[in-house]
Amino acid sequence: MIQYKITQTDKWNFVEFELAKNIEPADLKKMIMPDIKKFYNKGVIISGRGPIWLYGVLIHHFHPTRFIATFEPRLNAGVVIETHETEFHIGDLIDL
Amino acid sequence: MIQYKITQTDKWNFVEFELAKNIEPADLKKMIMPDIKKFYNKGVIISGRGPIWLYGVLIHHFHPTRFIATFEPRLNAGVVIETHETEFHIGDLIDL
């Protein structure tokens, strides 16, 4: 139903998801999530075409990581939305 | 820049935001957030037309509340995305 492609850099993991079919809210109950242990010591940039509630679940999943950004195609950049990292602040752009 | 209309029920607060202009990521740095103290003992359903990263910041803001859902206009329902409440589970629909 959902596939992840993960690209690593020194400071973040770029997590692109792709949906094989239209997702429904009930699918969230059995959705496979990326293994969080790989992500603790870096930030995460989430990218993909999907509903806001899918992003919501992924954002919650990655909450323990160093920071979270969502990819904004219009700007070709990640936008930091939460952070435990002094180097990255809410609203910062991360050029990709 | 952003206005909130908050409707309370017994179990949740329905938070509708409206943007006065197109929002840019840098606007997040000075954005006024709803007062979280009003929300602790209930869930929150977030609704409004805006970018995913704006939802991301609001979801992070409401993290301490009982549960968070985002409104899905296609289903005319909230979709639960995170929860500290046994009554509401991830993927549940809340009819409005």
Side-chain angles (χ1 to χ4, degrees):
Chain A
M1 182 180 67
I2 189 166
Q3 286 196 309
Y4 304 101
K5 179 185 165 193
I6 299 167
T7 312
Q8 301 205 340
T9 73
D10 284 354
K11 293 186 177 167
W12 59 75
N13 294 281
F14 186 59
V15 178
E16 298 170 274
F17 67 82
E18 191 168 351
L19 296 171
K21 63 173 189 76
N22 279 346
I23 192 172
E24 295 297 331
D27 294 325
L28 297 176
K29 296 178 185 290
K30 54 183 188 295
M31 197 173 82
I32 294 167
M33 304 291 274
D35 179 5
I36 190 75
K37 287 193 296 293
K38 301 179 189 164
F39 295 88
Y40 274 128
N41 62 341
K42 295 180 186 177
V44 176
I45 304 171
I46 306 169
S47 176
R49 287 176 62 90
I52 283 172
W53 38 267
L54 173 59
Y55 268 89
V57 169
L58 290 169
I59 288 166
H60 179 52
H61 179 70
F62 288 125
H63 182 69
T65 61
R66 296 305 300 158
F67 67 85
I68 303 176
T70 60
F71 183 68
E72 170 58 89
R74 187 172 59 83
L75 302 170
N76 197 36
V79 178
V80 177
I81 59 163
E82 61 175 86
T83 178
H84 309 115
E85 185 75 71
T86 54
E87 190 181 348
F88 297 94
H89 304 96
I90 286 178
D92 283 356
L93 295 182
I94 300 175
D95 289 325
L96 291 174
Chain B
M1 181 181 67
I2 188 167
Q3 286 197 310
Y4 304 100
K5 179 185 167 193
I6 299 166
T7 312
Q8 303 205 339
T9 73
D10 284 353
K11 294 186 177 168
W12 60 75
N13 294 281
F14 187 59
V15 178
E16 295 170 276
F17 67 80
E18 192 167 351
L19 297 170
K21 66 174 186 76
N22 279 347
I23 192 172
E24 295 296 332
D27 295 326
L28 297 176
K29 296 176 184 292
K30 52 183 191 295
M31 196 173 82
I32 294 167
M33 304 292 275
D35 179 4
I36 189 76
K37 287 194 296 295
K38 300 177 190 167
F39 295 88
Y40 275 128
N41 63 340
K42 294 180 188 178
V44 176
I45 303 170
I46 306 170
S47 177
R49 286 175 64 90
I52 283 173
W53 37 266
L54 173 60
Y55 268 89
V57 169
L58 290 170
I59 288 166
H60 180 52
H61 178 70
F62 288 124
H63 183 70
T65 61
R66 296 304 300 159
F67 68 86
I68 303 176
T70 60
F71 182 68
E72 169 58 88
R74 187 171 58 81
L75 302 171
N76 196 36
V79 178
V80 176
I81 60 163
E82 61 175 86
T83 178
H84 308 115
E85 184 76 70
T86 54
E87 191 181 348
F88 297 95
H89 305 97
I90 287 178
D92 283 356
L93 296 181
I94 300 175
D95 289 325
L96 291 171

